[in-house]
Amino acid sequence: MTTTAGPPGAQPPAVPEAQRTAAPQGEPAGGRVRRLLRAVPPIWLVLAAVIFLIAWRNPTFVEPAPFLAFLRRCAPLAVLAAGQVFVIIAGEFDLSVGALVTAVVVVAARLSDGDAAHTWWLIPLLLAAGALVGLVNGLVTTRLRVPSFIATLGMLLVLGGAVFLWSGGAPRGSLADNFRQFGRFGVELPGLGQLPYAVLILLAVGVALWLLLSHSRFGHQVYAAGGNPRAAALSGVDVRRVRTAAFVISGLSAVVAGILLGGFTGVTAEAGAGYEFQAIAAVVLGGAVLGGGRGSVGASVAGALTLQSVFTLLNLLGLAKSLRDAVQGLIIIGAAAYAAHRLRRSG
């Protein structure tokens, strides 16, 4: 049998996706199951295992009402992670999101002061402010060449100081009921209880960002900017513009997370404390590489759900709340090490 070789350097013909994923003829059922499991991002399997452990300790957890309430608590962090993953895939960090969440809650309470009529102009104002914070982070990082870790750490301090000075150290005012409804209430479903608005907003934001990252030219440019910035620039990608846009998306997601969190917890000067590190932990849990170039919105949301599930399990086991930071640090180290190991193997 003879074969015809292509020209030197020619790429092999593309194999259709359906053909790549189709089961080989005569493949046993066990092999088919293992192949399907390998195609699932590991974080979903970890999430399923943690939820199983929680349900084993507390069987009522998986009933519709308690589980939907759990998803409502997870929604702010999941939205934050869905925005943070853009920055991390682009090869940067955003440490300012926790302070921005706090600023959203405190500023909204001060400006609305419980007046429902203020809500509908206040939300666009907050979104514009979040986009501005992201834009400043992006311009300082890309134009002034300040490392994003330093630039966003500085923004964290600026926002924290500004909120403290403006509020006098204690939040003033209150959030209107129609502002809080996004984080507190939902749609009543017969037999299931209340489907929280926060879950619906998470689904809408998650799908929109997933489409943007995975099915748009901009999304491909984000991956290129983080994976190999020089090659991306030589191929015509404006790396600075792409990275700045990623910071803007992160800022907008922080505002949405702040609106949901304020509705759920109320006004507090510590509303977003620690959320920047939880968001990074969720993204890394989802398989993103801190050097850039790899990650996904869906896996990052799963990472946020897993992180909250682990905290819920620790509470059920009666462990001290102070262990959360230690566990979170171990999760970041372990997930980053695992992601680096997978990167080396695939390379």
Side-chain angles (χ1 to χ4, degrees), residues 41-44 85 88-89 223 279-304 331-332 334-343 346:
I43 188 60
W44 291 104
V85 72
I88 289 181
I89 291 174
Y223 282 105
I280 292 174
V283 172
V284 173
L285 268 176
V289 177
L290 292 180
R294 294 203 177 191
S296 72
V297 171
S300 298
V301 170
I331 287 173
I332 293 176
Y338 177 70
H341 173 69
R342 288 184 66 197
L343 183 63
S346 64

PDB file of all heavy atoms in Angstrom, residues 41-44 85 88-89 223 279-304 331-332 334-343 346:
ATOM      1  N   PRO A  41     -14.087  18.708  32.544  1.00  0.00           N
ATOM      2  CA  PRO A  41     -13.088  19.399  33.364  1.00  0.00           C
ATOM      3  C   PRO A  41     -13.081  18.841  34.786  1.00  0.00           C
ATOM      4  O   PRO A  41     -14.155  18.634  35.389  1.00  0.00           O
ATOM      5  CB  PRO A  41     -13.569  20.861  33.345  1.00  0.00           C
ATOM      6  CG  PRO A  41     -14.316  20.984  32.061  1.00  0.00           C
ATOM      7  CD  PRO A  41     -14.992  19.661  31.864  1.00  0.00           C
ATOM      8  N   PRO A  42     -11.924  18.565  35.360  1.00  0.00           N
ATOM      9  CA  PRO A  42     -11.856  17.913  36.674  1.00  0.00           C
ATOM     10  C   PRO A  42     -12.620  18.648  37.767  1.00  0.00           C
ATOM     11  O   PRO A  42     -13.115  18.005  38.701  1.00  0.00           O
ATOM     12  CB  PRO A  42     -10.348  17.881  36.972  1.00  0.00           C
ATOM     13  CG  PRO A  42      -9.693  17.954  35.641  1.00  0.00           C
ATOM     14  CD  PRO A  42     -10.583  18.778  34.779  1.00  0.00           C
ATOM     15  N   ILE A  43     -12.737  19.974  37.666  1.00  0.00           N
ATOM     16  CA  ILE A  43     -13.364  20.724  38.745  1.00  0.00           C
ATOM     17  C   ILE A  43     -14.830  20.329  38.919  1.00  0.00           C
ATOM     18  O   ILE A  43     -15.360  20.345  40.042  1.00  0.00           O
ATOM     19  CB  ILE A  43     -13.239  22.250  38.481  1.00  0.00           C
ATOM     20  CG1 ILE A  43     -13.721  23.038  39.688  1.00  0.00           C
ATOM     21  CG2 ILE A  43     -13.991  22.638  37.229  1.00  0.00           C
ATOM     22  CD1 ILE A  43     -12.983  22.765  40.950  1.00  0.00           C
ATOM     23  N   TRP A  44     -15.498  19.933  37.827  1.00  0.00           N
ATOM     24  CA  TRP A  44     -16.897  19.504  37.953  1.00  0.00           C
ATOM     25  C   TRP A  44     -17.001  18.206  38.736  1.00  0.00           C
ATOM     26  O   TRP A  44     -17.953  18.005  39.506  1.00  0.00           O
ATOM     27  CB  TRP A  44     -17.530  19.348  36.568  1.00  0.00           C
ATOM     28  CG  TRP A  44     -17.734  20.642  35.861  1.00  0.00           C
ATOM     29  CD1 TRP A  44     -16.994  21.147  34.825  1.00  0.00           C
ATOM     30  CD2 TRP A  44     -18.739  21.632  36.139  1.00  0.00           C
ATOM     31  NE1 TRP A  44     -17.471  22.376  34.436  1.00  0.00           N
ATOM     32  CE2 TRP A  44     -18.544  22.699  35.224  1.00  0.00           C
ATOM     33  CE3 TRP A  44     -19.788  21.721  37.060  1.00  0.00           C
ATOM     34  CZ2 TRP A  44     -19.353  23.831  35.209  1.00  0.00           C
ATOM     35  CZ3 TRP A  44     -20.595  22.851  37.051  1.00  0.00           C
ATOM     36  CH2 TRP A  44     -20.375  23.886  36.129  1.00  0.00           C
ATOM     37  N   VAL A  85     -11.546  35.672  35.343  1.00  0.00           N
ATOM     38  CA  VAL A  85     -10.860  34.733  34.457  1.00  0.00           C
ATOM     39  C   VAL A  85     -10.384  35.414  33.177  1.00  0.00           C
ATOM     40  O   VAL A  85      -9.362  35.021  32.598  1.00  0.00           O
ATOM     41  CB  VAL A  85     -11.779  33.528  34.144  1.00  0.00           C
ATOM     42  CG1 VAL A  85     -12.916  33.906  33.209  1.00  0.00           C
ATOM     43  CG2 VAL A  85     -10.966  32.378  33.554  1.00  0.00           C
ATOM     44  N   ILE A  88      -6.991  36.878  34.086  1.00  0.00           N
ATOM     45  CA  ILE A  88      -5.958  35.862  34.308  1.00  0.00           C
ATOM     46  C   ILE A  88      -5.579  35.182  32.999  1.00  0.00           C
ATOM     47  O   ILE A  88      -4.394  34.917  32.741  1.00  0.00           O
ATOM     48  CB  ILE A  88      -6.442  34.853  35.367  1.00  0.00           C
ATOM     49  CG1 ILE A  88      -6.450  35.540  36.738  1.00  0.00           C
ATOM     50  CG2 ILE A  88      -5.554  33.618  35.396  1.00  0.00           C
ATOM     51  CD1 ILE A  88      -6.883  34.663  37.878  1.00  0.00           C
ATOM     52  N   ILE A  89      -6.542  34.893  32.142  1.00  0.00           N
ATOM     53  CA  ILE A  89      -6.205  34.308  30.841  1.00  0.00           C
ATOM     54  C   ILE A  89      -5.337  35.268  30.033  1.00  0.00           C
ATOM     55  O   ILE A  89      -4.426  34.848  29.313  1.00  0.00           O
ATOM     56  CB  ILE A  89      -7.485  33.953  30.061  1.00  0.00           C
ATOM     57  CG1 ILE A  89      -8.211  32.790  30.737  1.00  0.00           C
ATOM     58  CG2 ILE A  89      -7.155  33.575  28.616  1.00  0.00           C
ATOM     59  CD1 ILE A  89      -9.545  32.457  30.122  1.00  0.00           C
ATOM     60  N   TYR A 223      -7.025  34.844  24.750  1.00  0.00           N
ATOM     61  CA  TYR A 223      -6.162  33.672  24.901  1.00  0.00           C
ATOM     62  C   TYR A 223      -4.786  33.924  24.280  1.00  0.00           C
ATOM     63  O   TYR A 223      -3.756  33.556  24.859  1.00  0.00           O
ATOM     64  CB  TYR A 223      -6.805  32.457  24.245  1.00  0.00           C
ATOM     65  CG  TYR A 223      -7.903  31.820  25.056  1.00  0.00           C
ATOM     66  CD1 TYR A 223      -9.243  31.987  24.721  1.00  0.00           C
ATOM     67  CD2 TYR A 223      -7.604  31.037  26.164  1.00  0.00           C
ATOM     68  CE1 TYR A 223     -10.254  31.402  25.457  1.00  0.00           C
ATOM     69  CE2 TYR A 223      -8.599  30.443  26.919  1.00  0.00           C
ATOM     70  CZ  TYR A 223      -9.929  30.627  26.559  1.00  0.00           C
ATOM     71  OH  TYR A 223     -10.918  30.046  27.303  1.00  0.00           O
ATOM     72  N   ALA A 279     -11.838  34.919  44.438  1.00  0.00           N
ATOM     73  CA  ALA A 279     -12.069  34.878  42.992  1.00  0.00           C
ATOM     74  C   ALA A 279     -10.873  34.258  42.269  1.00  0.00           C
ATOM     75  O   ALA A 279     -11.045  33.436  41.359  1.00  0.00           O
ATOM     76  CB  ALA A 279     -12.335  36.289  42.461  1.00  0.00           C
ATOM     77  N   ILE A 280      -9.662  34.630  42.672  1.00  0.00           N
ATOM     78  CA  ILE A 280      -8.466  34.041  42.059  1.00  0.00           C
ATOM     79  C   ILE A 280      -8.409  32.547  42.353  1.00  0.00           C
ATOM     80  O   ILE A 280      -8.096  31.733  41.474  1.00  0.00           O
ATOM     81  CB  ILE A 280      -7.204  34.757  42.551  1.00  0.00           C
ATOM     82  CG1 ILE A 280      -7.170  36.197  42.022  1.00  0.00           C
ATOM     83  CG2 ILE A 280      -5.943  34.010  42.111  1.00  0.00           C
ATOM     84  CD1 ILE A 280      -6.044  37.033  42.571  1.00  0.00           C
ATOM     85  N   ALA A 281      -8.735  32.166  43.610  1.00  0.00           N
ATOM     86  CA  ALA A 281      -8.743  30.748  43.964  1.00  0.00           C
ATOM     87  C   ALA A 281      -9.747  29.979  43.112  1.00  0.00           C
ATOM     88  O   ALA A 281      -9.466  28.865  42.649  1.00  0.00           O
ATOM     89  CB  ALA A 281      -9.076  30.578  45.448  1.00  0.00           C
ATOM     90  N   ALA A 282     -10.926  30.560  42.889  1.00  0.00           N
ATOM     91  CA  ALA A 282     -11.944  29.894  42.075  1.00  0.00           C
ATOM     92  C   ALA A 282     -11.467  29.705  40.642  1.00  0.00           C
ATOM     93  O   ALA A 282     -11.663  28.640  40.039  1.00  0.00           O
ATOM     94  CB  ALA A 282     -13.242  30.709  42.106  1.00  0.00           C
ATOM     95  N   VAL A 283     -10.827  30.727  40.082  1.00  0.00           N
ATOM     96  CA  VAL A 283     -10.337  30.639  38.708  1.00  0.00           C
ATOM     97  C   VAL A 283      -9.236  29.585  38.591  1.00  0.00           C
ATOM     98  O   VAL A 283      -9.212  28.793  37.634  1.00  0.00           O
ATOM     99  CB  VAL A 283      -9.834  32.016  38.232  1.00  0.00           C
ATOM    100  CG1 VAL A 283      -9.143  31.907  36.881  1.00  0.00           C
ATOM    101  CG2 VAL A 283     -10.990  33.004  38.144  1.00  0.00           C
ATOM    102  N   VAL A 284      -8.326  29.568  39.564  1.00  0.00           N
ATOM    103  CA  VAL A 284      -7.249  28.577  39.539  1.00  0.00           C
ATOM    104  C   VAL A 284      -7.818  27.179  39.736  1.00  0.00           C
ATOM    105  O   VAL A 284      -7.386  26.212  39.080  1.00  0.00           O
ATOM    106  CB  VAL A 284      -6.202  28.907  40.630  1.00  0.00           C
ATOM    107  CG1 VAL A 284      -5.176  27.791  40.738  1.00  0.00           C
ATOM    108  CG2 VAL A 284      -5.497  30.214  40.304  1.00  0.00           C
ATOM    109  N   LEU A 285      -8.802  27.039  40.623  1.00  0.00           N
ATOM    110  CA  LEU A 285      -9.470  25.749  40.799  1.00  0.00           C
ATOM    111  C   LEU A 285     -10.077  25.277  39.489  1.00  0.00           C
ATOM    112  O   LEU A 285     -10.121  24.072  39.206  1.00  0.00           O
ATOM    113  CB  LEU A 285     -10.567  25.861  41.854  1.00  0.00           C
ATOM    114  CG  LEU A 285     -10.204  25.549  43.300  1.00  0.00           C
ATOM    115  CD1 LEU A 285     -11.400  25.801  44.204  1.00  0.00           C
ATOM    116  CD2 LEU A 285      -9.750  24.109  43.443  1.00  0.00           C
ATOM    117  N   GLY A 286     -10.565  26.222  38.691  1.00  0.00           N
ATOM    118  CA  GLY A 286     -11.158  25.878  37.411  1.00  0.00           C
ATOM    119  C   GLY A 286     -10.165  25.488  36.338  1.00  0.00           C
ATOM    120  O   GLY A 286     -10.562  25.193  35.211  1.00  0.00           O
ATOM    121  N   GLY A 287      -8.876  25.492  36.672  1.00  0.00           N
ATOM    122  CA  GLY A 287      -7.868  25.028  35.729  1.00  0.00           C
ATOM    123  C   GLY A 287      -7.129  26.126  34.988  1.00  0.00           C
ATOM    124  O   GLY A 287      -6.309  25.821  34.118  1.00  0.00           O
ATOM    125  N   ALA A 288      -7.396  27.394  35.298  1.00  0.00           N
ATOM    126  CA  ALA A 288      -6.675  28.479  34.631  1.00  0.00           C
ATOM    127  C   ALA A 288      -5.215  28.477  35.074  1.00  0.00           C
ATOM    128  O   ALA A 288      -4.894  28.142  36.215  1.00  0.00           O
ATOM    129  CB  ALA A 288      -7.321  29.824  34.950  1.00  0.00           C
ATOM    130  N   VAL A 289      -4.346  28.870  34.154  1.00  0.00           N
ATOM    131  CA  VAL A 289      -2.914  28.961  34.443  1.00  0.00           C
ATOM    132  C   VAL A 289      -2.590  30.402  34.771  1.00  0.00           C
ATOM    133  O   VAL A 289      -2.941  31.318  34.013  1.00  0.00           O
ATOM    134  CB  VAL A 289      -2.085  28.478  33.233  1.00  0.00           C
ATOM    135  CG1 VAL A 289      -0.594  28.644  33.499  1.00  0.00           C
ATOM    136  CG2 VAL A 289      -2.401  27.022  32.924  1.00  0.00           C
ATOM    137  N   LEU A 290      -1.923  30.627  35.905  1.00  0.00           N
ATOM    138  CA  LEU A 290      -1.657  31.992  36.349  1.00  0.00           C
ATOM    139  C   LEU A 290      -0.735  32.745  35.397  1.00  0.00           C
ATOM    140  O   LEU A 290      -0.701  33.965  35.423  1.00  0.00           O
ATOM    141  CB  LEU A 290      -1.074  31.978  37.761  1.00  0.00           C
ATOM    142  CG  LEU A 290      -2.050  31.524  38.866  1.00  0.00           C
ATOM    143  CD1 LEU A 290      -1.362  31.548  40.221  1.00  0.00           C
ATOM    144  CD2 LEU A 290      -3.290  32.404  38.890  1.00  0.00           C
ATOM    145  N   GLY A 291      -0.003  32.056  34.568  1.00  0.00           N
ATOM    146  CA  GLY A 291       0.823  32.737  33.581  1.00  0.00           C
ATOM    147  C   GLY A 291       0.038  33.239  32.383  1.00  0.00           C
ATOM    148  O   GLY A 291       0.544  34.015  31.587  1.00  0.00           O
ATOM    149  N   GLY A 292      -1.218  32.821  32.259  1.00  0.00           N
ATOM    150  CA  GLY A 292      -2.055  33.262  31.156  1.00  0.00           C
ATOM    151  C   GLY A 292      -2.188  32.218  30.068  1.00  0.00           C
ATOM    152  O   GLY A 292      -1.416  31.257  29.989  1.00  0.00           O
ATOM    153  N   GLY A 293      -3.208  32.406  29.228  1.00  0.00           N
ATOM    154  CA  GLY A 293      -3.375  31.552  28.063  1.00  0.00           C
ATOM    155  C   GLY A 293      -4.328  30.400  28.209  1.00  0.00           C
ATOM    156  O   GLY A 293      -4.728  29.795  27.212  1.00  0.00           O
ATOM    157  N   ARG A 294      -4.726  30.050  29.448  1.00  0.00           N
ATOM    158  CA  ARG A 294      -5.628  28.926  29.663  1.00  0.00           C
ATOM    159  C   ARG A 294      -6.656  29.268  30.727  1.00  0.00           C
ATOM    160  O   ARG A 294      -6.356  29.948  31.695  1.00  0.00           O
ATOM    161  CB  ARG A 294      -4.857  27.671  30.079  1.00  0.00           C
ATOM    162  CG  ARG A 294      -3.935  27.139  28.992  1.00  0.00           C
ATOM    163  CD  ARG A 294      -3.643  25.683  29.195  1.00  0.00           C
ATOM    164  NE  ARG A 294      -2.824  25.168  28.114  1.00  0.00           N
ATOM    165  CZ  ARG A 294      -2.588  23.877  27.905  1.00  0.00           C
ATOM    166  NH1 ARG A 294      -3.118  22.978  28.711  1.00  0.00           N
ATOM    167  NH2 ARG A 294      -1.833  23.491  26.895  1.00  0.00           N
ATOM    168  N   GLY A 295      -7.865  28.727  30.531  1.00  0.00           N
ATOM    169  CA  GLY A 295      -8.948  28.953  31.481  1.00  0.00           C
ATOM    170  C   GLY A 295     -10.270  28.998  30.745  1.00  0.00           C
ATOM    171  O   GLY A 295     -10.318  29.036  29.519  1.00  0.00           O
ATOM    172  N   SER A 296     -11.355  28.976  31.500  1.00  0.00           N
ATOM    173  CA  SER A 296     -12.685  29.055  30.891  1.00  0.00           C
ATOM    174  C   SER A 296     -13.658  29.632  31.903  1.00  0.00           C
ATOM    175  O   SER A 296     -13.448  29.530  33.118  1.00  0.00           O
ATOM    176  CB  SER A 296     -13.162  27.686  30.416  1.00  0.00           C
ATOM    177  OG  SER A 296     -13.506  26.863  31.514  1.00  0.00           O
ATOM    178  N   VAL A 297     -14.720  30.233  31.391  1.00  0.00           N
ATOM    179  CA  VAL A 297     -15.737  30.824  32.262  1.00  0.00           C
ATOM    180  C   VAL A 297     -16.480  29.742  33.026  1.00  0.00           C
ATOM    181  O   VAL A 297     -16.682  29.835  34.240  1.00  0.00           O
ATOM    182  CB  VAL A 297     -16.720  31.679  31.437  1.00  0.00           C
ATOM    183  CG1 VAL A 297     -17.908  32.116  32.288  1.00  0.00           C
ATOM    184  CG2 VAL A 297     -16.008  32.909  30.863  1.00  0.00           C
ATOM    185  N   GLY A 298     -16.906  28.691  32.325  1.00  0.00           N
ATOM    186  CA  GLY A 298     -17.671  27.633  32.983  1.00  0.00           C
ATOM    187  C   GLY A 298     -16.902  26.980  34.111  1.00  0.00           C
ATOM    188  O   GLY A 298     -17.440  26.765  35.205  1.00  0.00           O
ATOM    189  N   ALA A 299     -15.629  26.646  33.874  1.00  0.00           N
ATOM    190  CA  ALA A 299     -14.825  26.012  34.906  1.00  0.00           C
ATOM    191  C   ALA A 299     -14.558  26.966  36.073  1.00  0.00           C
ATOM    192  O   ALA A 299     -14.466  26.540  37.226  1.00  0.00           O
ATOM    193  CB  ALA A 299     -13.508  25.521  34.320  1.00  0.00           C
ATOM    194  N   SER A 300     -14.448  28.265  35.797  1.00  0.00           N
ATOM    195  CA  SER A 300     -14.242  29.240  36.870  1.00  0.00           C
ATOM    196  C   SER A 300     -15.479  29.348  37.755  1.00  0.00           C
ATOM    197  O   SER A 300     -15.372  29.445  38.981  1.00  0.00           O
ATOM    198  CB  SER A 300     -13.888  30.607  36.279  1.00  0.00           C
ATOM    199  OG  SER A 300     -12.679  30.543  35.558  1.00  0.00           O
ATOM    200  N   VAL A 301     -16.663  29.330  37.141  1.00  0.00           N
ATOM    201  CA  VAL A 301     -17.901  29.318  37.929  1.00  0.00           C
ATOM    202  C   VAL A 301     -17.959  28.050  38.770  1.00  0.00           C
ATOM    203  O   VAL A 301     -18.334  28.091  39.955  1.00  0.00           O
ATOM    204  CB  VAL A 301     -19.124  29.429  36.997  1.00  0.00           C
ATOM    205  CG1 VAL A 301     -20.420  29.176  37.766  1.00  0.00           C
ATOM    206  CG2 VAL A 301     -19.172  30.805  36.348  1.00  0.00           C
ATOM    207  N   ALA A 302     -17.585  26.917  38.180  1.00  0.00           N
ATOM    208  CA  ALA A 302     -17.547  25.672  38.942  1.00  0.00           C
ATOM    209  C   ALA A 302     -16.549  25.764  40.088  1.00  0.00           C
ATOM    210  O   ALA A 302     -16.787  25.232  41.177  1.00  0.00           O
ATOM    211  CB  ALA A 302     -17.191  24.509  38.026  1.00  0.00           C
ATOM    212  N   GLY A 303     -15.436  26.458  39.855  1.00  0.00           N
ATOM    213  CA  GLY A 303     -14.460  26.660  40.931  1.00  0.00           C
ATOM    214  C   GLY A 303     -15.036  27.461  42.078  1.00  0.00           C
ATOM    215  O   GLY A 303     -14.784  27.160  43.251  1.00  0.00           O
ATOM    216  N   ALA A 304     -15.834  28.485  41.748  1.00  0.00           N
ATOM    217  CA  ALA A 304     -16.475  29.277  42.802  1.00  0.00           C
ATOM    218  C   ALA A 304     -17.477  28.438  43.586  1.00  0.00           C
ATOM    219  O   ALA A 304     -17.533  28.511  44.826  1.00  0.00           O
ATOM    220  CB  ALA A 304     -17.173  30.492  42.178  1.00  0.00           C
ATOM    221  N   ILE A 331      -5.713  25.462  48.799  1.00  0.00           N
ATOM    222  CA  ILE A 331      -6.409  25.196  47.549  1.00  0.00           C
ATOM    223  C   ILE A 331      -5.728  25.909  46.390  1.00  0.00           C
ATOM    224  O   ILE A 331      -5.519  25.340  45.307  1.00  0.00           O
ATOM    225  CB  ILE A 331      -7.887  25.620  47.663  1.00  0.00           C
ATOM    226  CG1 ILE A 331      -8.648  24.635  48.552  1.00  0.00           C
ATOM    227  CG2 ILE A 331      -8.543  25.694  46.293  1.00  0.00           C
ATOM    228  CD1 ILE A 331     -10.069  25.050  48.851  1.00  0.00           C
ATOM    229  N   ILE A 332      -5.356  27.184  46.599  1.00  0.00           N
ATOM    230  CA  ILE A 332      -4.676  27.935  45.535  1.00  0.00           C
ATOM    231  C   ILE A 332      -3.362  27.262  45.162  1.00  0.00           C
ATOM    232  O   ILE A 332      -3.057  27.061  43.978  1.00  0.00           O
ATOM    233  CB  ILE A 332      -4.428  29.389  45.978  1.00  0.00           C
ATOM    234  CG1 ILE A 332      -5.755  30.137  46.132  1.00  0.00           C
ATOM    235  CG2 ILE A 332      -3.552  30.112  44.964  1.00  0.00           C
ATOM    236  CD1 ILE A 332      -5.599  31.547  46.650  1.00  0.00           C
ATOM    237  N   GLY A 334      -2.372  24.103  45.712  1.00  0.00           N
ATOM    238  CA  GLY A 334      -2.597  22.796  45.114  1.00  0.00           C
ATOM    239  C   GLY A 334      -3.142  22.888  43.702  1.00  0.00           C
ATOM    240  O   GLY A 334      -2.705  22.165  42.799  1.00  0.00           O
ATOM    241  N   ALA A 335      -4.127  23.781  43.484  1.00  0.00           N
ATOM    242  CA  ALA A 335      -4.720  23.913  42.153  1.00  0.00           C
ATOM    243  C   ALA A 335      -3.710  24.466  41.163  1.00  0.00           C
ATOM    244  O   ALA A 335      -3.656  24.031  40.000  1.00  0.00           O
ATOM    245  CB  ALA A 335      -5.950  24.810  42.218  1.00  0.00           C
ATOM    246  N   ALA A 336      -2.890  25.440  41.589  1.00  0.00           N
ATOM    247  CA  ALA A 336      -1.874  25.995  40.697  1.00  0.00           C
ATOM    248  C   ALA A 336      -0.829  24.937  40.332  1.00  0.00           C
ATOM    249  O   ALA A 336      -0.400  24.842  39.184  1.00  0.00           O
ATOM    250  CB  ALA A 336      -1.209  27.202  41.349  1.00  0.00           C
ATOM    251  N   ALA A 337      -0.436  24.132  41.320  1.00  0.00           N
ATOM    252  CA  ALA A 337       0.530  23.075  41.048  1.00  0.00           C
ATOM    253  C   ALA A 337      -0.046  22.043  40.082  1.00  0.00           C
ATOM    254  O   ALA A 337       0.639  21.572  39.160  1.00  0.00           O
ATOM    255  CB  ALA A 337       0.948  22.396  42.354  1.00  0.00           C
ATOM    256  N   TYR A 338      -1.317  21.695  40.274  1.00  0.00           N
ATOM    257  CA  TYR A 338      -1.953  20.716  39.384  1.00  0.00           C
ATOM    258  C   TYR A 338      -2.083  21.263  37.966  1.00  0.00           C
ATOM    259  O   TYR A 338      -1.842  20.556  36.981  1.00  0.00           O
ATOM    260  CB  TYR A 338      -3.322  20.332  39.938  1.00  0.00           C
ATOM    261  CG  TYR A 338      -4.091  19.374  39.050  1.00  0.00           C
ATOM    262  CD1 TYR A 338      -3.669  18.056  38.909  1.00  0.00           C
ATOM    263  CD2 TYR A 338      -5.219  19.796  38.365  1.00  0.00           C
ATOM    264  CE1 TYR A 338      -4.358  17.168  38.097  1.00  0.00           C
ATOM    265  CE2 TYR A 338      -5.916  18.915  37.550  1.00  0.00           C
ATOM    266  CZ  TYR A 338      -5.485  17.606  37.423  1.00  0.00           C
ATOM    267  OH  TYR A 338      -6.177  16.737  36.618  1.00  0.00           O
ATOM    268  N   ALA A 339      -2.475  22.548  37.858  1.00  0.00           N
ATOM    269  CA  ALA A 339      -2.595  23.153  36.539  1.00  0.00           C
ATOM    270  C   ALA A 339      -1.244  23.207  35.828  1.00  0.00           C
ATOM    271  O   ALA A 339      -1.146  22.945  34.624  1.00  0.00           O
ATOM    272  CB  ALA A 339      -3.185  24.562  36.663  1.00  0.00           C
ATOM    273  N   ALA A 340      -0.175  23.527  36.580  1.00  0.00           N
ATOM    274  CA  ALA A 340       1.169  23.551  35.984  1.00  0.00           C
ATOM    275  C   ALA A 340       1.593  22.153  35.538  1.00  0.00           C
ATOM    276  O   ALA A 340       2.213  21.980  34.486  1.00  0.00           O
ATOM    277  CB  ALA A 340       2.166  24.113  36.988  1.00  0.00           C
ATOM    278  N   HIS A 341       1.227  21.136  36.340  1.00  0.00           N
ATOM    279  CA  HIS A 341       1.555  19.763  35.979  1.00  0.00           C
ATOM    280  C   HIS A 341       0.845  19.347  34.690  1.00  0.00           C
ATOM    281  O   HIS A 341       1.456  18.744  33.791  1.00  0.00           O
ATOM    282  CB  HIS A 341       1.159  18.837  37.130  1.00  0.00           C
ATOM    283  CG  HIS A 341       1.299  17.363  36.807  1.00  0.00           C
ATOM    284  ND1 HIS A 341       2.513  16.763  36.626  1.00  0.00           N
ATOM    285  CD2 HIS A 341       0.350  16.390  36.624  1.00  0.00           C
ATOM    286  CE1 HIS A 341       2.336  15.475  36.353  1.00  0.00           C
ATOM    287  NE2 HIS A 341       1.019  15.239  36.347  1.00  0.00           N
ATOM    288  N   ARG A 342      -0.440  19.688  34.578  1.00  0.00           N
ATOM    289  CA  ARG A 342      -1.181  19.358  33.357  1.00  0.00           C
ATOM    290  C   ARG A 342      -0.607  20.106  32.149  1.00  0.00           C
ATOM    291  O   ARG A 342      -0.550  19.557  31.055  1.00  0.00           O
ATOM    292  CB  ARG A 342      -2.657  19.752  33.527  1.00  0.00           C
ATOM    293  CG  ARG A 342      -3.437  18.860  34.478  1.00  0.00           C
ATOM    294  CD  ARG A 342      -4.889  19.255  34.499  1.00  0.00           C
ATOM    295  NE  ARG A 342      -5.507  19.006  33.204  1.00  0.00           N
ATOM    296  CZ  ARG A 342      -6.662  19.540  32.838  1.00  0.00           C
ATOM    297  NH1 ARG A 342      -7.310  20.365  33.633  1.00  0.00           N
ATOM    298  NH2 ARG A 342      -7.188  19.267  31.648  1.00  0.00           N
ATOM    299  N   LEU A 343      -0.167  21.351  32.371  1.00  0.00           N
ATOM    300  CA  LEU A 343       0.419  22.124  31.277  1.00  0.00           C
ATOM    301  C   LEU A 343       1.705  21.484  30.785  1.00  0.00           C
ATOM    302  O   LEU A 343       1.957  21.395  29.584  1.00  0.00           O
ATOM    303  CB  LEU A 343       0.668  23.562  31.732  1.00  0.00           C
ATOM    304  CG  LEU A 343       1.218  24.531  30.682  1.00  0.00           C
ATOM    305  CD1 LEU A 343       0.211  24.692  29.551  1.00  0.00           C
ATOM    306  CD2 LEU A 343       1.504  25.888  31.314  1.00  0.00           C
ATOM    307  N   SER A 346       0.776  18.284  28.825  1.00  0.00           N
ATOM    308  CA  SER A 346       0.188  18.546  27.512  1.00  0.00           C
ATOM    309  C   SER A 346       1.191  19.185  26.569  1.00  0.00           C
ATOM    310  O   SER A 346       1.022  19.141  25.352  1.00  0.00           O
ATOM    311  CB  SER A 346      -1.034  19.462  27.651  1.00  0.00           C
ATOM    312  OG  SER A 346      -0.658  20.740  28.157  1.00  0.00           O
TER     313      SER A 346
END
